[in-house]
Amino acid sequence: GNSVTQMEGPVTLSEEAFLTINCTYTATGYPSLFWYVQYPGEGLQLLLKATKADDKGSNKGFEATYRKETTSFHLEKGSVQVSDSAVYFCALSRDNFNKFYFGSGTKLNVKP
Amino acid sequence: KAGVTQTPRYLIKTRGQQVTLSCSPISGHRSVSWYQQTPGQGLQFLFEYFSETQRNKGNFPGRFSGRQFSNSRSEMNVSTLELGDSALYLCASSLEGGRDTQYFGPGTRLLVL
């Protein structure tokens, strides 16, 4: 079946540290992959996406590369800020399924 | 373009009551999905509507229902509320569904007492 696995949180980093949040997926065919971010008390916001193998999605300093050989879509940022503190969700979608499959979310805490 | 809007934002109900939540998608989007978010279960898919038809449904009891109108606005209804229905209910819209990007509303926070 289709599923997304994310690293357990919370992840606690100091400001300006390097961030990696691991995401692996299981899906047949060629899914689209997404990272969403949720700030406290809000809905999910699209952070970045990739629609085919070797695509790199990027936004606001965050990057993730669609790796079909390792079925991964790890989120990275070179220098995190306190304002990046939020919960990050990895997700996949496929044609004709009409639903997104979300990971369990990874909470990021960035300390000043 | 205006984003996805959900009303109301907060709701308090008692067990046994029913509740209706509303979602207005981004203009031009025809697919609307609903999710339930709780600390214990994370994000769980409820159902997806496209052109007034339910195309996909998650594993929720029949107390959870929805519908979509001709202008793509959607409502979900929960009857006979239980304490465990307390959650953040999120609506998301996309152009056609499938692998299209979903854009989320701010959610309706439901508390059942």
Side-chain angles (χ1 to χ4, degrees):
Chain A
N2 302 296
S3 66
V4 175
T5 302
Q6 285 181 239
M7 62 188 290
E8 291 277 332
V11 173
T12 301
L13 296 173
S14 297
E15 207 165 21
E16 299 184 3
F18 185 86
L19 168 71
T20 300
I21 299 178
N22 290 336
C23 170
T24 57
Y25 68 90
T26 301
T28 54
Y30 300 91
S32 291
L33 301 173
F34 303 80
W35 277 101
Y36 283 85
V37 58
Q38 185 176 35
Y39 298 99
E42 298 184 10
L44 276 66
Q45 298 177 24
L46 176 67
L47 184 58
L48 54 83
K49 69 177 184 181
T51 58
K52 60 183 187 296
D54 299 324
D55 266 1
K56 177 184 283 189
S58 61
N59 186 24
K60 300 180 182 179
F62 291 90
E63 293 183 340
T65 301
Y66 189 141
R67 302 280 188 206
K68 190 157 180 66
E69 64 275 13
T70 54
T71 62
S72 66
F73 193 55
H74 304 322
L75 182 68
E76 296 182 336
K77 187 176 186 183
S79 177
V80 293
Q81 306 300 312
V82 172
S83 57
D84 294 327
S85 297
V87 180
Y88 292 82
F89 291 91
C90 185
L92 73 80
S93 69
R94 290 185 51 202
D95 290 326
N96 302 320
F97 273 68
N98 302 313
K99 66 175 285 190
F100 271 39
Y101 296 84
F102 283 91
S104 56
T106 302
K107 185 172 184 178
L108 171 65
N109 295 316
V110 181
K111 300 185 299 184
Chain B
K1 265 187 186 177
V4 178
T5 58
Q6 292 187 245
T7 56
R9 291 292 310 277
Y10 304 93
L11 210 46
I12 300 175
K13 293 286 188 180
T14 55
R15 279 181 299 173
Q17 288 187 309
Q18 75 163 18
V19 67
T20 299
L21 312 182
S22 181
C23 171
S24 293
I26 291 172
S27 177
H29 285 194
R30 297 165 66 191
S31 169
V32 174
S33 299
W34 289 89
Y35 295 84
Q36 182 196 65
Q37 186 179 27
T38 59
Q41 299 296 318
L43 277 160
Q44 292 188 281
F45 173 74
L46 281 155
F47 27 65
E48 188 260 0
Y49 285 87
F50 179 83
S51 290
E52 303 178 66
T53 300
Q54 187 183 88
R55 291 195 300 190
N56 202 348
K57 188 178 189 305
N59 295 323
F60 279 82
R63 300 184 297 107
F64 291 82
S65 63
R67 60 177 175 168
Q68 186 180 36
F69 301 94
S70 58
N71 62 358
S72 294
R73 190 176 70 85
S74 177
E75 290 181 346
M76 68 162 281
N77 182 275
V78 188
S79 62
T80 320
L81 283 166
E82 300 177 0
L83 295 179
D85 297 333
S86 294
L88 180 67
Y89 290 88
L90 292 165
C91 166
S93 76
S94 69
L95 280 169
E96 304 270 332
R99 62 170 63 225
D100 288 342
T101 301
Q102 291 193 354
Y103 296 89
F104 283 79
T108 294
R109 186 163 295 281
L110 171 65
L111 177 62
V112 182
L113 301 175

